[in-house]
Amino acid sequence: MPAPPQCPACGRPLKDRGLVLTLREDDGKRTCRALWKCPTGHIWWQWSDRANAPLETCPVPSLFR
């Protein structure tokens, strides 16, 4: 099993918090984003169908606390 990604803000390991179905604006597809959270509360997500997708700050963290 690969090591979890590191939080870009604090460098701590991220924990997988599930998937979120969203509409991707660039191609109009309904696609999942993998949701990640660090122990200090930073919340990130990335496209689950794009292997090298960068982590992005989740724009609605209050929905996933």
Side-chain angles (χ1 to χ4, degrees), residues 8-57:
C10 68
R12 299 184 70 184
L14 294 170
K15 291 190 178 193
D16 181 5
R17 304 308 291 167
L19 297 172
V20 178
L21 183 62
T22 62
L23 179 65
R24 187 165 44 209
E25 292 179 12
D26 66 349
D27 62 9
K29 291 184 181 179
R30 290 174 53 108
T31 308
C32 287
R33 285 188 181 256
L35 191 66
W36 299 92
K37 185 176 180 182
C38 77
T40 56
H42 300 117
I43 299 177
W44 305 89
W45 62 4
Q46 68 189 132
W47 294 113
S48 60
D49 66 338
R50 295 181 176 170
N52 295 321
L55 289 170
E56 300 173 35
T57 302

